[in-house]
Amino acid sequence: MDASPTALFDSYEQDFKQLVQSIDAKLSEGKDAGGEDRKAALRRVEMEMEEADELVSQLDIEISSIPQNVRQHYHTRLRDAKSSLSRCKTSLKDARSSLARSDLLSSSKPYSSDDPYGSSSDRTRLLSGTQLLENGTKRLEESQRMALETESHGAEILTNLRGQREQIENSRDTLLRADIAIDRASNTLKQMVRRMYQQRAITYSIIAVLIILIVVIVWEKLSG
């Protein structure tokens, strides 16, 4: 198993590309399908879209463990993945809108040639359905905007965490260097103290010898 820092990123990216191909294929097939088949295809696309979204989040997380000297290249690949995911979301939204319009039109009753809009009740239901469709589209766009904002905040938090980790690592290196400097200073002080004691012992020895010599000279003079 590849244990390099970029192995997981490459694996997630490969899985994501396969999902994107599957989503594109299902959306393309769904255009020609009718009714329930089209709805089933969209449900499968929605499940794959959630999985693709999770893979992009994993790619964003794995970026932090990639060495700095090659990280920029992987940032570019991450942006490409996010762009592909955004395109798929837009295609899915268009497919949902198209399906909703088809359902609405298919549920409308036939109208008479005298009234091109059908009866008042049919026209009211059509307007109401159109309004519901517009409201649903707005809610979907709002949900997508909130998801993008959440994703942006998450990326910002990860960036801050990476910065904090680098600061902690720098502080740890500084503490290690300070610890080494303190050890060296302590050894130097010990050597200075040892030399001081040695010099003091030598001084005391010289004084003792001088005293003995003085005593001997005085003794010889007194005895002579």
Side-chain angles (χ1 to χ4, degrees):
M1 182 177 178
D2 191 355
S4 65
T6 61
L8 274 177
F9 187 98
D10 294 336
S11 176
Y12 287 139
E13 184 184 37
Q14 184 63 31
D15 292 342
F16 173 77
K17 288 181 178 179
Q18 292 176 357
L19 272 176
V20 168
Q21 292 176 356
S22 176
I23 289 171
D24 289 339
K26 287 182 174 62
L27 287 175
S28 178
E29 294 171 359
K31 291 180 181 178
D32 300 327
E36 294 302 321
D37 291 339
R38 190 174 183 182
K39 291 179 181 179
L42 288 182
R43 283 195 293 270
R44 290 194 293 271
V45 169
E46 289 171 356
M47 290 188 291
E48 291 186 350
M49 191 74 76
E50 292 179 359
E51 188 175 351
D53 208 347
E54 292 177 0
L55 285 174
V56 169
S57 298
Q58 289 295 330
L59 290 175
D60 208 347
I61 293 173
E62 289 302 319
I63 279 287
S64 61
S65 62
I66 295 177
Q68 289 282 358
N69 57 334
V70 296
R71 188 176 296 178
Q72 183 59 40
H73 171 66
Y74 284 87
H75 269 301
T76 300
R77 290 165 62 176
L78 175 60
R79 284 196 297 270
D80 292 341
K82 289 182 177 180
S83 177
S84 296
L85 180 63
S86 178
R87 176 184 59 78
C88 288
K89 288 180 178 179
T90 300
S91 298
L92 176 59
K93 182 180 72 173
D94 293 341
R96 285 170 177 165
S97 299
S98 177
L99 178 61
R101 292 190 187 95
S102 298
D103 290 344
L104 183 63
L105 292 176
S106 63
S107 63
S108 299
K109 295 180 179 180
Y111 50 82
S112 65
S113 58
D114 295 334
D115 186 357
Y117 296 101
S119 66
S120 176
S121 177
D122 291 340
R123 185 164 58 250
T124 301
R125 284 198 298 271
L126 179 61
L127 292 175
S128 176
T130 303
Q131 184 63 37
L132 288 174
L133 178 61
E134 292 178 353
N135 292 338
T137 301
K138 289 179 180 178
R139 285 196 296 270
L140 181 60
E141 291 175 349
E142 181 66 17
S143 299
Q144 184 178 9
R145 184 186 63 80
M146 292 179 63
L148 291 175
E149 289 180 355
T150 302
E151 181 181 356
S152 177
H153 290 325
E156 184 178 352
I157 291 172
L158 286 174
T159 301
N160 292 335
L161 289 176
R162 286 196 295 269
Q164 292 175 6
R165 186 181 67 178
E166 291 175 357
Q167 290 177 355
I168 291 173
E169 290 176 350
N170 293 334
S171 299
R172 183 182 60 186
D173 294 340
T174 302
L175 288 175
L176 288 175
R177 289 195 295 269
D179 190 36
I180 294 172
I182 290 173
D183 288 340
R184 290 177 179 173
S186 177
N187 292 332
T188 302
L189 288 175
K190 289 178 181 178
Q191 292 176 1
M192 292 175 64
V193 170
R194 187 164 53 249
R195 289 175 183 174
M196 181 186 69
Y197 283 133
Q198 291 174 350
Q199 291 176 356
R200 183 177 296 177
I202 293 171
T203 301
Y204 287 157
S205 299
I206 294 173
I207 292 173
V209 170
L210 290 175
I211 292 174
I212 292 171
L213 288 175
I214 292 171
V215 170
V216 170
I217 293 173
V218 172
W219 173 261
E220 287 180 353
K221 286 185 177 182
L222 292 176
S223 61

